[in-house]
Amino acid sequence: MTTYNFSSGPAVLPRDVLLQVQQELTDWHGSGMSVMEMSHRGPEFTQIIAEAEADLRAVLGIPANYKVLFLQGGAHFQFGMIPLNLTRPGDTVDYVNTGSWSKTAIKEAQRYANVNIVASSEDRNFSYVPDEAGWQRSADARYLHYCSNETIGGVEFPFIPQSSFAGKDIPLICDMSSNILSQPLDVSHYGLIYAGAQKNIGPSGMTIAIIRDDLIGHARADVPTMLNYKTHADAGSLYNTPPSFAIYVAGLVFKWLQKNGGLEAMARHNATKAALVYDAIDNSDGFYRAPVSGAARSRMNVPFWLKDAALDADFLKGAEAAGLVQLKGHRSVGGMRASIYNAMPLEGVQALVAYMADFARRHG
Ligand SMILES: Cc1ncc(COP(=O)(O)O)c(C=O)c1O
């Protein structure tokens, strides 16, 4: 039986990539070494990291005036690095609050700067994206931060916020941890994009930051060397030992994306899968319900509830028996969550909706 993994992250990786890793695990390209055993300054790894960056640049169309940084510390480190690199005490920064991850980013930024919440969807349990027309932005904000896909709540921005406000260009900063590489993106709208790798990029332990050149070199004087973007930009992400194995696997994922039609093909593939799951929910006569409606429904993470929470355990048990694993929802939302990142095949989603229909028939 095939297992389909709906984890929110660390999440499913392309099977072809895993098989290639397996094949190369003990002897990368005739070097006689595993990538795990190589010096990060040797010729082999120099080639691996250079190719990974070049392939990511090609896939996303990253302009030349942006640096690609392979970092550690997860997206959580970015929550602190951003204000430490881009503000001084007392500066104002704008944040949109659309869920758990926005909130965590806000809490960290509040330690270093004056955070203005431009809009929040907390009034309706983070089930929508507030209309941009009503946002209360500050003219003197150092940047505007938002999370393009709230992994826990299943809310995805259906638009890119304006970077210009009050006649000024205010850097747009986005936590794209859970929807980067899921569709084409115009990187030039942004000052900084960051993403933990463990969803659409590769294994955990690595975070990617794509940062416009003019935002590098403004860190506070007392910021630790490792938390200064300039440290990593100047050293080509090799200031210290990088997460080398994760960079290698991510590089294979970027090649897999290129081989499979790039981000346009991913966008079609992801739209098809998401429509299947949301249709299964919406056409279940109320047996299943989704907390998010309309355009803000995430194409990556689909939370849903059963009409009777007493059936949750049975649903999960039956799903596991059918090879559909890691469907339990986040504890703060409850119910189920199907994460259907790039690497989730259509067959996995078809198996899930077939199981959902069957379960509803048996318990409806
Ligand atoms: C949107 C988003 N932001 C931030 C994080 C935190 O990432 P990390 O655990 O890599 O620090 C996550 C984790 O899943 C996430 O989904």
Side-chain angles (χ1 to χ4, degrees):
M1 182 179 64
T2 310
T3 299
Y4 294 110
N5 174 8
F6 294 89
S7 168
S8 60
V12 58
L13 283 166
R15 191 166 167 74
D16 289 352
V17 167
L18 291 178
L19 290 172
Q20 188 173 346
V21 170
Q22 182 181 44
Q23 201 199 346
E24 299 177 343
L25 191 67
T26 57
D27 181 5
W28 183 83
H29 294 203
S31 65
M33 295 179 283
S34 170
V35 176
M36 278 184 272
E37 305 169 307
M38 284 173 186
S39 164
H40 57 292
R41 309 215 182 268
E44 297 88 357
F45 191 73
T46 301
Q47 182 191 333
I48 288 170
I49 192 169
E51 261 184 51
E53 178 176 341
D55 286 334
L56 178 62
R57 283 185 177 277
V59 167
L60 256 182
I62 300 173
N65 63 324
Y66 286 73
K67 294 281 183 298
V68 172
L69 309 179
F70 298 109
L71 306 171
Q72 301 184 52
H76 275 88
F77 251 28
Q78 297 308 303
F79 296 160
M81 274 177 82
I82 291 162
L84 282 172
N85 277 265
L86 298 175
T87 71
R88 295 290 176 272
D91 279 355
T92 297
V93 288
D94 278 358
Y95 277 70
V96 190
N97 183 18
T98 52
S100 281
W101 292 115
S102 302
K103 259 179 115 160
T104 309
I106 288 166
K107 213 165 142 215
E108 188 70 355
Q110 281 168 335
R111 304 182 62 211
Y112 304 110
N114 171 28
V115 175
N116 169 47
I117 313 280
V118 305
S120 171
S121 57
E122 196 158 14
D123 58 341
R124 283 197 272 136
N125 219 7
F126 295 125
S127 59
Y128 67 103
V129 174
D131 185 355
E132 194 178 5
W135 291 9
Q136 304 289 318
R137 294 181 63 163
S138 359
D140 59 347
R142 290 282 165 196
Y143 58 81
L144 174 83
H145 179 282
Y146 76 108
C147 176
S148 55
N149 186 68
E150 286 283 356
T151 321
I152 293 174
V155 167
E156 184 171 20
F157 269 68
F159 60 90
I160 296 179
Q162 297 287 329
S163 56
S164 63
F165 179 70
K168 278 195 286 193
D169 185 55
I170 295 182
L172 197 54
I173 298 189
C174 186
D175 176 358
M176 280 191 201
S177 294
S178 51
N179 69 349
I180 193 166
L181 300 173
S182 66
Q183 61 186 353
L185 179 74
D186 185 351
V187 173
S188 71
H189 276 296
Y190 294 89
L192 167 59
I193 292 166
Y194 65 97
Q198 63 271 21
K199 295 131 186 349
N200 260 345
I201 297 175
S204 60
M206 196 243 300
T207 307
I208 288 183
I210 302 165
I211 181 168
R212 210 171 59 207
D213 286 339
D214 62 289
L215 299 179
I216 299 170
H218 307 291
R220 296 182 186 193
D222 59 353
V223 79
T225 307
M226 279 294 288
L227 298 188
N228 189 333
Y229 288 121
K230 190 166 171 14
T231 303
H232 303 284
D234 287 352
S237 301
L238 292 167
Y239 174 74
N240 72 327
T241 315
S244 50
F245 196 74
I247 291 169
Y248 154 68
V249 180
L252 297 182
V253 171
F254 303 148
K255 287 193 192 301
W256 174 83
L257 284 169
Q258 287 173 308
K259 215 165 62 199
N260 286 278
L263 300 189
E264 262 143 35
M266 281 304 130
R268 288 194 296 275
H269 169 62
N270 289 325
T272 305
K273 290 183 295 178
L276 271 176
V277 187
Y278 287 114
D279 283 351
I281 295 165
D282 293 342
N283 299 329
S284 69
D285 279 335
F287 189 88
Y288 301 107
R289 273 184 310 125
V292 183
S293 57
R297 281 180 159 181
S298 169
R299 298 161 309 120
M300 298 284 104
N301 312 96
V302 185
F304 63 92
W305 298 308
L306 274 61
K307 68 170 186 194
D308 179 1
L311 292 172
D312 284 3
D314 267 0
F315 181 92
L316 288 167
K317 207 167 136 211
E320 265 196 57
L324 310 168
V325 302
Q326 307 212 61
L327 277 165
K328 192 171 171 22
H330 190 271
R331 61 190 178 281
S332 66
V333 178
M336 309 299 149
R337 173 174 44 167
S339 294
I340 48 176
Y341 300 115
N342 285 345
M344 170 59 66
L346 180 63
E347 294 75 23
V349 172
Q350 287 167 333
L352 172 65
V353 299
Y355 172 73
M356 287 170 70
D358 181 55
F359 188 87
R361 222 172 5 252
R362 286 186 285 115
H363 296 87

